[in-house]
Amino acid sequence: LTAKFREQYAEILGRAPSDLEMDTLLEGFINERRKQRHTMTVVPGTIEMAQQVTALPIAVGVASSSQTHFLEDKMKRYDLWDMFAPHIYSADRVHAGKPDPAIFLYTAEQMGHAPERCLVIEDSTHGVTAGIKAGMTVWGFTGGGHCFEGHGERLATAGASKVVKDHESLMSHLAVLVS
């Protein structure tokens, strides 16, 4: 997706954009989306999946790149906070966000688990990279509204050992894993 943005931005600029220009453009998109967060809806199946996964005999946590106040707002708005609390961690607790592995290593430490015993479910290439760098098993997830054609291939290329397309598939794979 970033490559397409870069290509389209180059057409607008009449030249290749610098990394700083790309970062500024993407940050602008993110900030604009945050202004519209009241219009966001939860991905279908998320609530049911969260209920099912937190009922499994495994420890479950959230390790997000979102800032704490945005993460808390989103999770509370959709009644997800209490399902995962107290193990909800944001990258603003560590020195760097994804693709740096710090948030995953921090989460594992807080939960008392060795990284090599952790499974990360990620919908971004930066997150997959971070999980791999942390020494964790990483599965890609393409059921989010931001996942377009080819996203699963990008997650696999980044190192995801398995790519699941929706919450139902994720729960099927998790059920096999914990049985």
Side-chain angles (χ1 to χ4, degrees), residues 6 9 13 15-28:
R6 185 177 289 275
Y9 198 24
L13 293 174
R15 61 173 171 75
S18 69
D19 288 343
L20 178 60
E21 288 172 319
M22 284 303 300
D23 289 346
T24 302
L25 176 68
L26 293 174
E27 185 62 31

Side-chain angles (χ1 to χ4, degrees), residues 104-119:
F104 288 131
L105 294 170
Y106 178 81
T107 300
E109 179 183 350
Q110 295 302 305
M111 294 180 71
H113 296 289
E116 63 273 11
R117 299 205 25 93
C118 295
L119 170 64

Side-chain angles (χ1 to χ4, degrees), residues 9 12 29 31 40 52 77 82 96-97 103 113-114 133 148-149 153 156 159 174:
Y9 198 24
I12 293 167
F29 285 136
N31 286 337
M40 291 172 57
Q52 291 173 16
R77 189 171 343 129
D82 291 337
I103 187 58
H113 296 289
K133 287 180 180 177
F148 299 104
E149 184 178 330
E153 290 82 14
L174 286 173

Side-chain angles (χ1 to χ4, degrees), residues 45-54 84 167 170-171 174:
T46 299
I47 305 298
E48 295 82 2
M49 183 278 308
Q51 291 167 335
Q52 291 173 16
V53 78
T54 55
F84 293 95
H167 291 106
L170 174 59
M171 285 310 303
L174 286 173

Side-chain angles (χ1 to χ4, degrees), residues 3 15 56 70 88 123 153 169 178:
R15 61 173 171 75
L56 292 172
F70 289 124
I88 302 169
D123 64 356
E153 290 82 14
S169 298
V178 299

